[in-house]
Amino acid sequence: SLIEVQDSVWGRSGGGQSGVKVRCMTLNRPDKANALNVEMMQNLASAVAAQSADLHVLRSAHQRLFCAGADIAEFVAGPAALAAQEHVLLALIEQFSLSQVPLIAVIRGKASGAGVILAALADVVLASEDAELSCPEIRFGMYPVIVNAVLCTRVTHALSNRMCLGQSLAAVEAWRAGLVSEVIPLSSFDQQVEERLRFFSERPESLAISRQCRQLISPPQLLLRQMQSVAPLMAENYLSMGVREQ
């Protein structure tokens, strides 16, 4: 499976407390740098929509990358393929942003385009010191309007615009900007990630309050309306002179 979904119950330290239901979603398409195709986005949306866990964890099976973004080969197949990708991407963002279940993203290596969207939608982002967040669409003559809309919920509009125009952020820069929660050394990455996941898994109620607070301060309905407004610009950009030949 390109998206591996594993449910488990993690115990808490101390007696008298019930276990925590954790749903781990793992991107597993290493030959395509975990580029998200329609099927993968549908599966991710379904996994989150179930609302059957206390905590969601999103990570990559690959040791050197998180996600290369949307599958370019799929959307350059033509306007219909681009429209299909747009539809499922908007549905994915809707499920992630409306979910009441807290989300922790574990990022190691590169996160690009839609990979940045996934990071921005998470409540906690644990990033390796070699992580890099970028929006490379400008290289192909595209301005990632949907990425921009989601990024603006986490960072300043100015920084979001700079990223969408090609500026990448190293892990520490992303941490300073508020897009990454913690930067973890490579030498002890696996161990520290597991320790941090255990720490947060013992406090799901606190993370749930954090998510509710975020949704009240920045209502997801506003983001969804903004995305619907800017989404037509993606097709317009794609159909412009020279973009499809890049």
Side-chain angles (χ1 to χ4, degrees):
S1 175
L2 303 181
I3 302 289
E4 297 178 355
V5 179
Q6 182 177 12
D7 294 328
S8 56
V9 177
W10 293 8
R12 304 197 203 201
S13 58
Q17 298 189 83
S18 60
V20 177
K21 298 177 182 177
V22 178
R23 168 161 287 186
C24 186
M25 300 166 288
T26 304
L27 308 179
N28 189 22
R29 196 188 183 196
D31 57 320
K32 296 295 183 180
N34 286 340
L36 301 175
N37 59 19
V38 167
E39 178 187 354
M40 293 173 72
M41 288 189 277
Q42 287 174 331
N43 289 345
L44 276 176
S46 296
V48 169
Q51 302 283 293
S52 57
D54 300 307
L55 179 65
H56 289 149
V57 176
L58 178 64
R59 61 198 316 174
S60 168
H62 200 292
Q63 291 295 306
R64 294 190 299 276
L65 64 90
F66 177 65
C67 175
D71 189 338
I72 295 176
E74 191 173 65
F75 79 69
V76 297
L82 180 65
Q85 270 214 358
E86 176 190 313
H87 176 76
V88 296
L89 178 59
L90 294 179
L92 172 65
I93 294 169
E94 179 175 4
Q95 291 298 337
F96 270 61
S97 60
L98 291 175
S99 173
Q100 296 300 303
V101 180
L103 172 66
I104 299 176
V106 180
I107 296 178
R108 187 167 183 171
K110 292 184 180 295
S112 305
V116 173
I117 288 177
L118 296 177
L121 292 171
D123 302 288
V124 176
V125 179
L126 306 175
S128 62
E129 61 184 345
D130 69 337
E132 179 183 354
L133 286 75
S134 64
C135 303
E137 290 88 347
I138 193 71
R139 299 176 190 171
F140 310 102
M142 296 285 288
Y143 185 85
V145 293
I146 295 176
V147 181
N148 182 51
V150 177
L151 268 176
C152 283
T153 67
R154 296 302 301 272
V155 301
T156 66
H157 286 224
L159 178 56
S160 175
N161 180 251
R162 291 202 303 270
M163 289 186 68
C164 290
L165 290 174
Q167 177 183 332
S168 62
L169 294 184
V172 172
E173 294 172 317
W175 172 74
R176 288 178 181 144
L179 196 52
V180 161
S181 308
E182 300 180 29
V183 179
I184 300 176
L186 280 173
S187 59
S188 56
F189 184 76
D190 292 335
Q191 176 186 342
Q192 287 200 42
V193 163
E194 294 310 312
E195 290 174 357
R196 299 306 289 158
L197 290 178
R198 289 291 174 181
F199 174 85
F200 287 116
S201 72
E202 294 189 348
R203 296 159 176 84
E205 297 86 0
S206 297
L207 286 186
I209 292 295
S210 172
R211 170 158 279 255
Q212 291 173 36
C213 182
R214 174 181 172 183
Q215 290 173 332
L216 288 171
I217 293 172
S218 299
Q221 293 82 3
L222 175 59
L223 169 61
L224 299 178
R225 288 197 298 270
Q226 290 172 337
M227 288 194 309
Q228 291 292 343
S229 296
V230 302
L233 295 174
M234 188 164 76
E236 180 180 329
N237 194 173
Y238 172 76
L239 293 171
S240 61
M241 185 73 69
V243 170
R244 283 169 293 175
E245 287 75 30
Q246 292 288 334

